[in-house]
């Protein structure tokens, strides 16, 4: 969820608000809270337990997109509670812009499709052109070892 290779919350940080909204769901819409929380936990466990959990060359952890119809409910609850809070709305806006910027970087090859490391991510953080050091900073995954369940 937080890794540099495909970390869901690193590449889609706005989804943090959905997770916060999941806790708020217990107070506002109790009938949805248990099913959505259980669905999120089971789905996340199953997806991230697969031998190739990052699902190949895509921006972020694309397998989590299947949960978005449910997570939009929890995000809406969070936003509804915070709508008058200018600081939270400002953070929300900045995270949306940051996500768009990272998608721009991905499309331009600034963020590698499956081999990002902490060093490569930090190097790419605010770049608008591909780093000349990218190839030295990335680490290609070992698919065969992953298939065997090894790191």
């Amino acid at each position: 969820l937080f890794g540099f290779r495909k970390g869901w919350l690193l590449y889609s940080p706005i989804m943090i608000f959905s997770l916060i909204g999941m806790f708020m769901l217990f107070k506002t819409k109790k009938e949805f809270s248990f099913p959505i929380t259980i669905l999120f936990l089971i789905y996340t466990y199953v997806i991230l337990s697969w031998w190739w959990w990052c699902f190949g060359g895509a921006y972020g952890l694309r397998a989590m997109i299947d949960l978005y119809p449910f997570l939009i409910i929890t995000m809406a609850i969070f936003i509804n509670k915070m709508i008058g809070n200018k600081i939270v709305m400002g953070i929300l806006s900045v995270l949306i812009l940051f996500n768009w910027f990272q998608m721009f970087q991905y499309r331009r090859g600034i963020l590698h499709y499956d081999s990002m490391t902490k060093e490569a991510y930090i190097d790419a953080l605010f770049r608008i052109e591909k780093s000349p050091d990218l190839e030295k900073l990335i680490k290609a995954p070992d698919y065969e070892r992953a298939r065997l369940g090894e790191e």
Side-chain angles (χ1 to χ4, degrees):
L1 297 177
F2 299 100
F4 290 96
R5 184 179 307 266
K6 294 282 183 174
W8 179 52
L9 296 174
L10 186 66
Y11 292 98
S12 300
I14 194 169
M15 297 311 289
I16 291 168
F17 292 129
S18 288
L19 297 180
I20 295 168
M22 201 175 294
F23 292 105
M24 293 176 164
L25 191 65
F26 284 96
K27 291 184 179 182
T28 57
K29 298 283 184 186
K30 290 182 183 181
E31 65 273 16
F32 295 125
S33 61
F34 186 72
I36 289 177
T37 302
I38 294 301
L39 174 67
F40 174 78
L41 292 173
I42 291 173
Y43 183 87
T44 303
Y45 176 78
V46 170
I47 291 304
L48 297 180
S49 294
W50 190 46
W51 74 270
W52 193 238
W53 57 267
C54 61
F55 290 82
Y59 172 76
L61 189 55
R62 71 180 178 193
M64 294 301 279
I65 290 173
D66 294 337
L67 281 179
Y68 283 16
F70 303 101
L71 294 178
I72 200 66
I73 294 168
T74 61
M75 184 180 292
I77 287 169
F78 175 82
I79 291 172
N80 188 45
K81 290 282 187 195
M82 298 296 166
I83 200 77
N85 188 323
K86 291 181 182 179
I87 293 173
V88 172
M89 291 299 107
I91 293 170
L92 181 72
S93 300
V94 167
L95 290 179
I96 290 169
L97 292 173
F98 185 63
N99 188 247
W100 284 346
F101 181 69
Q102 284 189 333
M103 287 189 292
F104 163 82
Q105 288 181 308
Y106 174 76
R107 287 187 197 114
R108 304 250 347 230
I110 298 164
L111 296 175
H112 196 270
Y113 60 90
D114 82 342
S115 302
M116 289 299 288
T117 62
K118 179 181 178 182
E119 294 76 19
Y121 185 83
I122 291 169
D123 182 62
L125 199 54
F126 296 108
R127 287 185 178 274
I128 58 170
E129 295 292 331
K130 190 174 180 178
S131 171
D133 298 327
L134 182 64
E135 295 302 318
K136 292 183 263 181
L137 297 171
I138 60 175
K139 182 180 178 199
D142 186 336
Y143 300 105
E144 293 306 317
R145 289 184 65 198
R147 223 179 254 123
L148 298 172
E150 300 171 3
E151 284 216 22

